[in-house]
């Protein structure tokens, strides 16, 4: 719960700074949007973990089918 709130706050904060940054300052805008994207990615992983129980397919059990005729 706290992680979710932290990442939501961080996304809002970095996007706010991005929107109020000068368009001429490309380096700072790039850094801010990367930070916002990082926190959005973390939020997505948290939400996926809540709903599916795992983050990516490598963590899911493999199913093997040994059918012989």
């Amino acid at each position: 719960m706290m992680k979710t709130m932290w990442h939501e706050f961080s996304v809002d904060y970095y996007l706010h700074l991005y929107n109020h940054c000068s368009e001429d300052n490309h380096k700072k805008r790039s850094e801010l949007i990367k930070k916002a994207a990082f926190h959005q990615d973390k939020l997505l992983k948290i939400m996926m973990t809540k709903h599916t129980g795992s983050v990516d397919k490598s963590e899911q059990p493999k199913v093997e089918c040994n059918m012989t005729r």
Side-chain angles (χ1 to χ4, degrees):
M1 176 82 174
M2 287 300 292
K3 285 183 181 181
T4 304
M5 289 173 45
W6 168 251
H7 290 298
E8 287 175 352
F9 170 78
S10 297
V11 169
D12 291 341
Y13 176 71
Y14 288 123
L15 290 178
H16 173 78
L17 292 177
Y18 174 84
N19 289 330
H20 290 85
C21 185
S22 172
E23 290 184 14
D24 297 333
N25 196 347
H26 300 291
K27 185 176 180 179
K28 185 172 182 175
R29 288 173 64 90
S30 174
E31 291 171 3
L32 291 171
I33 204 70
K34 285 179 185 176
K35 289 179 182 181
F38 169 80
H39 289 286
Q40 282 182 329
D41 185 51
K42 292 293 184 179
L43 272 173
L44 177 62
K45 287 180 181 179
I46 290 169
M47 294 301 171
M48 286 178 61
T49 302
K50 273 186 186 177
H51 294 288
T52 63
S54 64
V55 177
D56 57 35
K57 292 184 179 186
S58 65
E59 294 178 6
Q60 294 178 354
K62 294 182 180 179
V63 177
E64 293 183 23
C65 183
N66 294 327
M67 295 178 59
T68 57
R69 292 187 174 183

